[in-house]
Amino acid sequence: MGTIARNLGVDLDKIKDTYVSQALRMTYYPSCPVAHDKVLGISPHSDISVLTLVWELNLVDGLQIRRQDAWVPIKPHPKALVVNVGDFLEILTNGKYQSIEHRVTVNPHKERMSISAFHLPKIDTSVGPLPDIVREEEKKYKTLRVDQAAKVVFSSKLDGKKTKEYAMFST
């Protein structure tokens, strides 16, 4: 977050309270030899977080990102974590950092395991574009309460970039 703050020209103290909690999810994707081409491990979505760190435990392919309307596989690396920009960071930066839509496919021969660490804002706060980087008339996103955005996202099926859609001003 310090590097992101420096890139934006913002004092870290002004944003450090926006990522104060962490949630962990351990995910097991069994192999699927029969219908692997018809089954998803996790549906397409973007993370509601500020940042998400993913450790792909057994280095089995499956994570894909949407880029230019195509699904691009991300090759696991034994000495690296995957870092996903989340929807709340996109909102904070008014789109300068964009959340990534991703999904996970299943492997026909090997199980896949991962641990995701979601770095989240306080549930009882509001998140909106940082005034230090965007003028009021240039804002693409509304300021929204984290708890209300979470209700929208978690009350429906994973599908696309729901937090971003919820936060965008109508054009």
Side-chain angles (χ1 to χ4, degrees), residues 34-143:
V34 178
H36 68 277
D37 57 340
K38 296 180 175 84
V39 175
L40 285 176
I42 293 184
S43 301
H45 68 285
S46 58
D47 296 335
I48 192 172
S49 62
V50 175
L51 287 174
T52 303
L53 305 177
V54 182
W55 180 21
E56 298 175 295
L57 293 167
N58 60 344
L59 305 175
V60 173
D61 292 343
L63 178 62
Q64 299 177 343
I65 62 169
R66 186 186 298 270
R67 186 168 185 187
Q68 297 175 345
D69 292 325
W71 288 106
V72 179
I74 302 302
K75 184 87 174 143
H77 190 284
K79 295 183 180 179
L81 296 173
V82 174
V83 179
N84 285 340
V85 168
D87 295 331
F88 281 125
L89 185 56
E90 181 167 342
I91 293 165
L92 279 168
T93 65
N94 203 47
K96 288 186 169 88
Y97 283 82
Q98 295 185 359
S99 63
I100 189 75
E101 188 175 0
H102 56 284
R103 69 181 187 181
V104 178
T105 61
V106 292
N107 187 292
H109 308 291
K110 297 178 187 172
E111 64 186 13
R112 182 177 190 280
M113 295 180 288
S114 65
I115 298 175
S116 302
F118 302 92
H119 295 83
L120 301 155
K122 290 183 210 174
I123 196 74
D124 61 347
T125 60
S126 295
V127 174
L130 295 167
D132 289 5
I133 63 170
V134 63
R135 294 192 313 256
E136 187 68 34
E137 63 274 6
E138 296 171 334
K139 287 184 178 180
K140 296 177 187 175
Y141 304 98
K142 303 176 249 183
T143 296

